[in-house]
Amino acid sequence: MGRSVDREDGPLKVTGAAVYAADHHPDRLAYGYLLTSTIARGSILGMDTGQAAKAPGVLAIYTPFDPLKLYRYAKEENAELTPPLQNTDVRYYGQAIGLVVAETFEQARDAAALVITQYSAQPPRASFTDGMPSATPPPSGTSVVDVLAPGVTSIDEALAAGDVTVTATYSTPAETHVAMEPHATTAFWTADQLTIYTATQGVRLVVDRLTETLGIEAAKIHVINPYVGGGFGNKWGMWAHTPLTAAAARALGRPVKTVLTREQVYSVVGHRPPSSQTVSLGAARDGTLVAVKNDGVSGKSASNNFYEPVANLSLALYGSANLHVSRKVVTLDVPVTTIMRAPQESNGSFALESAMDELADKLGMDPLELRRKNDTPIRPSDKLPWSSKHLQECYTLGAERFGWSRRSSKPGTVTDGDWVVGLGMATATYGASRGEASIKVRLRDDGRAVVSGTGADLGTGQSTVFAILTADGLGIPVARVLPQLGDSATPPAANAGGSGSTSTNGPAVQLATDATKAAMVKLATEHDKSPFKGQEVTFSNGEIRGGGRAMPFGDLLTLLDVPAVEATATSPRSPVRDHAFRSFGAHFCEVRVNRWTGEPRVSRWLCVVDAGTIVNAKTARSQIAGGVIMGIGQALLEDLRVEPETGRFGNATMADYLVPINADIPDIDVEFLNYPDTLLSDLGARGIGEFGIVGAAGAVANAIYNATGKRVRDLPITLDKLL
């Protein structure tokens, strides 16, 4: 544990042996193709399916006028409020309004093009900027949070008492996830039992939602999804194609597979909403914060209730006696808004970290020293102490390794030929938690161990973490452990989201490993054929030891003619309520901006991480680097553009929605402090999957200011804003 271990699923993925949701081809498979709306708001007056129904290979066409019966599946706020095809209302451009099923994908696609739809259209509410003046409190939760010092009556009073204040408004556009694997579902029924392969961040999520929308018992649903080709939050919800495919397979009595086209992935499934934040900071002359005011506004789709309370980070990061956060939403006729890597905190940190730099500039203070000054051992909002925090060490180590002392305090003074060079930094952080999880470990007579649970591996390395922890507990090589994730028939482990997989599932793997060792010892001492019967034995390094002899567990199982021994254990939710949990760290980056073209280039990056125990250094570094890369994309490239008149996403292709590629990214240096957080669990691991993106865009913006003297407050920072 803690060393760099190759991913156990790596060879399968690079050789094409890993089987994804769209790779299943059961006998008599038919293919579904979604029909989607071409207006953003209104209703469907009619759908002429006559020509399509006569097209070659067509088996069925389902529309609101000939629907598959589905029930509401809104257990979570990021699910659509209305299941597909149950009425003629249109709530966004690209909404699923029909499903064509045919013998081949091409036949289904071509028939879909023959369906003629008539609408009654209304102008959509599609502009976030235009909707800002009429922003409203969120549909649920508190709209305003004030934490004020005794005797202070308002946050504005506290700001006025500061020696130095800054106020600025920062905005971020809508973004989308662009996972490599398109969303796909393959479904078939055996009598009244449903088997479904679908791209998801948790098979238990799918079981719960299909139970609702199909109106059947959970015990009759088997969801399988061992491999996920990226998710970033976009495969947490259940989207229209999944229940439609399952219902069509039931109606037709044969397997059906539906794979979304790349354009459909931008509309049928969710996206990160746009945001706007006005941040005001008040400080004493020495840089001590006396007031933090953050008024945040998020976009929200009319089709669900998810929004990002982007101002929330101001309640958790820097110490101040006076805090104010407000939350409002702008409801839009756009596709569903949903979670995306570090929801609220990715956008929230851009504003807060930019504002901290602006305050440092006005104070004439080093931005790193301002952050040091306002580091706090307690959570500012409720005064709970942090369970484990070594942020100051992150600052110190990062500054030394990156060469922060060479940063010029005067913007635009460091040049390299045609490039101006700037350094920026920001605090990285993300919340930590430990939920309940169950895991099974099985020792087999071939000397291998199987560790299983319903968790998911989105490319994060979670399956390798399972293997490492099991191997570590049993004292055997990692290569002899077979992890099995993504099967709803296995014990209920944590879904992949909220940076909680390892922190929740890891302790359960350890408990299950210990329980299986105890079961093996019991078998060895009680089985009539066992050479260890009646003796005191131990389990160590994969062997049963006692009475002066040792035998590998596989050999003993073979001798006793017992195929396997297994045990399941459950790790409970964290009982600690008197501490707060969060991972912390520091980003340092160098950006070069071409003086003639305005082109920004990130040329160096260091992230120092305090995230508790690191189980696998190799995949952990990859997770941090992945988050940083998404943060660079957020800072410089990503902008999901909606056409205000039509409500259509105008750049819904991988050619037009820009994300970083290899040529955009420098080597990313990652350093882990590796201090176990034993208040969270005996394992001591906190989440890191979303950590790396938080603060990254702010660090880039701050470096660009240091290079050019231009403060860009509206993402992305494109060339035109720097010319």
Side-chain angles (χ1 to χ4, degrees):
M1 188 163 64
R3 294 176 299 200
S4 289
V5 178
D6 290 347
R7 289 174 52 145
E8 63 84 25
D9 56 346
L12 296 173
K13 289 183 173 179
V14 300
T15 60
V19 179
Y20 293 85
D23 294 332
H24 294 275
H25 302 280
D27 292 341
R28 301 181 63 243
L29 178 64
Y31 293 80
Y33 190 94
L34 286 184
L35 295 163
T36 56
S37 65
T38 54
I39 66 167
R41 187 180 183 189
S43 61
I44 303 170
L45 299 178
M47 296 179 72
D48 183 351
T49 60
Q51 288 298 110
K54 298 175 185 176
V58 172
L59 300 171
I61 302 176
Y62 303 104
T63 71
F65 304 99
D66 185 15
L68 294 156
K69 181 58 184 173
L70 299 172
Y71 303 94
R72 181 170 168 157
Y73 50 98
K75 278 185 177 177
E76 295 186 68
E77 61 186 4
N78 60 328
E80 288 197 61
L81 297 172
T82 306
L85 313 192
Q86 303 311 296
N87 59 46
T88 58
D89 295 339
V90 176
R91 299 173 302 282
Y92 58 86
Y93 192 107
Q95 175 185 318
I97 60 172
L99 180 72
V100 177
V101 184
E103 295 287 353
T104 69
F105 169 81
E106 291 79 9
Q107 289 173 335
R109 178 197 61 197
D110 293 351
L114 300 176
V115 176
I116 300 172
T117 303
Q118 294 180 311
Y119 301 99
S120 173
Q122 301 174 31
R125 301 163 296 175
S127 170
F128 177 69
T129 302
D130 291 348
M132 284 279 291
S134 57
T136 60
S140 61
T142 306
S143 58
V144 177
V145 176
D146 277 309
V147 180
L148 302 176
V152 177
T153 59
S154 72
I155 191 67
D156 291 330
E157 175 190 335
L159 283 167
D163 296 324
V164 178
T165 60
V166 295
T167 297
T169 298
Y170 308 87
S171 70
T172 62
E175 294 180 80
T176 192
H177 307 67
V178 202
M180 259 197 293
E181 177 198 24
H183 293 64
T185 296
T186 304
F188 64 91
W189 295 76
T190 305
D192 61 349
Q193 302 286 320
L194 170 64
T195 299
I196 193 160
Y197 303 95
T198 190
T200 178
Q201 292 180 219
V203 292
R204 291 166 57 200
L205 298 168
V206 180
V207 171
D208 289 346
R209 290 165 183 155
L210 286 178
T211 296
E212 287 184 295
T213 193
L214 296 177
I216 63 175
E217 300 171 18
K220 295 183 177 180
I221 304 172
H222 187 193
V223 182
I224 306 169
N225 188 55
Y227 302 105
V228 188
F232 315 117
N234 195 246
K235 289 168 182 168
W236 184 271
M238 185 172 75
W239 312 112
H241 66 288
T242 298
L244 285 175
T245 302
R250 179 167 58 180
L252 295 172
R254 60 187 292 185
V256 176
K257 173 162 63 179
T258 305
V259 181
L260 299 190
T261 66
R262 183 56 63 177
E263 186 173 4
Q264 288 173 350
V265 168
Y266 286 80
S267 62
V268 175
V269 305
H271 65 283
R272 190 198 295 275
S275 76
S276 175
Q277 296 172 78
T278 298
V279 179
S280 299
L281 303 178
R285 288 284 175 195
D286 67 354
T288 302
L289 285 171
V290 297
V292 176
K293 181 181 182 181
N294 192 337
D295 294 315
V297 185
S298 169
K300 185 190 81 68
S301 171
S303 293
N304 72 327
N305 287 326
F306 178 86
Y307 75 103
E308 288 198 353
V310 287
N312 279 10
L313 191 61
S314 292
L315 296 172
L317 193 47
Y318 297 114
S320 174
N322 301 284
L323 301 171
H324 165 92
V325 160
S326 73
R327 306 153 180 148
K328 287 187 176 181
V329 297
V330 175
T331 301
L332 302 170
D333 300 311
V334 296
V336 175
T337 43
T338 192
I339 55 177
M340 184 169 169
R341 199 173 201 162
Q344 72 184 277
E345 301 205 3
S346 176
N347 284 342
S349 64
F350 165 65
L352 183 58
E353 291 303 293
S354 295
M356 286 291 284
D357 251 51
E358 297 205 45
L359 177 61
D361 189 55
K362 196 167 183 180
L363 286 164
M365 190 174 184
D366 186 312
L368 174 58
E369 291 309 310
L370 178 64
R371 289 169 172 84
R372 283 188 183 279
K373 183 96 179 164
N374 293 285
D375 182 27
T376 171
I378 62 172
R379 184 162 61 188
S381 60
D382 57 13
K383 315 307 182 193
L384 286 177
W386 296 114
S387 59
S388 174
K389 185 179 185 183
H390 301 88
L391 180 56
Q392 290 287 350
E393 187 174 341
C394 293
Y395 288 151
T396 299
L397 179 60
E400 291 174 354
R401 287 189 51 169
F402 196 73
W404 182 256
S405 62
R406 298 195 297 272
R407 173 185 178 271
S408 172
S409 60
K410 186 177 180 181
T413 58
V414 179
T415 62
D416 182 7
D418 288 338
W419 301 82
V420 286
V421 184
L423 301 186
M425 62 85 54
T427 302
T429 183
Y430 197 73
S433 63
R434 186 187 112 210
E436 181 178 293
S438 297
I439 294 290
K440 180 169 69 176
V441 173
R442 180 180 176 86
L443 304 181
R444 304 193 316 203
D445 59 6
D446 62 359
R448 301 190 71 187
V450 179
V451 53
S452 58
T454 59
D457 190 330
L458 315 185
T460 58
Q462 180 68 187
S463 59
T464 310
V465 165
F466 275 36
I468 290 170
L469 293 176
T470 304
D472 192 61
L474 295 174
I476 63 175
V478 175
R480 284 172 53 193
V481 180
L482 176 65
Q484 293 181 344
L485 282 70
D487 188 328
S488 65
T490 59
N495 303 309
S499 295
S501 290
T502 297
S503 60
T504 294
N505 292 329
V509 173
Q510 291 181 310
L511 290 176
T513 303
D514 289 343
T516 307
K517 288 162 62 178
M520 190 69 215
V521 167
K522 186 174 186 295
L523 177 70
T525 58
E526 295 181 358
H527 197 286
D528 289 338
K529 295 181 181 179
S530 172
F532 301 98
K533 184 177 181 181
Q535 298 179 17
E536 293 223 0
V537 301
T538 59
F539 189 114
S540 179
N541 294 326
E543 297 177 329
I544 298 294
R545 297 179 177 182
R549 66 184 299 174
M551 182 178 292
F553 69 80
D555 292 352
L556 181 58
L557 289 171
T558 300
L559 175 67
L560 303 182
D561 198 26
V562 175
V565 167
E566 66 183 30
T568 299
T570 299
S571 173
R573 186 178 299 275
S574 173
V576 179
R577 297 292 179 266
D578 56 357
H579 283 76
F581 299 92
R582 184 168 276 272
S583 291
F584 295 94
H587 292 298
F588 294 85
C589 75
E590 177 186 86
V591 175
R592 295 163 179 257
V593 179
N594 189 285
R595 65 172 70 248
W596 308 114
T597 68
E599 175 192 3
R601 279 289 194 185
V602 178
S603 49
R604 283 196 299 137
W605 200 286
L606 167 66
C607 183
V608 184
V609 182
D610 172 30
T613 300
I614 300 302
V615 177
N616 184 359
K618 188 171 190 175
T619 54
R621 283 193 180 92
S622 180
Q623 280 294 283
I624 299 300
V628 169
I629 290 166
M630 287 188 75
I632 293 172
Q634 179 187 30
L636 301 179
L637 297 170
E638 298 192 46
D639 185 0
L640 185 58
R641 298 195 172 191
V642 63
E643 297 169 349
E645 299 81 10
T646 66
R648 172 182 174 268
F649 287 140
N651 57 336
T653 73
M654 291 184 79
D656 299 313
Y657 181 85
L658 302 181
V659 296
I661 60 171
N662 289 351
D664 299 313
I665 302 300
D667 287 340
I668 295 172
D669 190 8
V670 179
E671 181 73 27
F672 294 105
L673 300 188
N674 213 356
Y675 293 117
D677 189 341
T678 54
L679 282 177
L680 185 60
S681 72
D682 290 341
L683 175 60
R686 296 197 297 260
I688 58 172
E690 292 161 286
F691 173 94
I693 193 175
V694 181
V700 172
N702 296 336
I704 286 176
Y705 173 76
N706 185 244
T708 65
K710 296 182 179 180
R711 177 65 65 180
V712 182
R713 302 185 180 97
D714 305 301
L715 295 183
I717 305 172
T718 46
L719 281 64
D720 56 298
K721 298 174 184 176
L722 297 176
L723 286 172

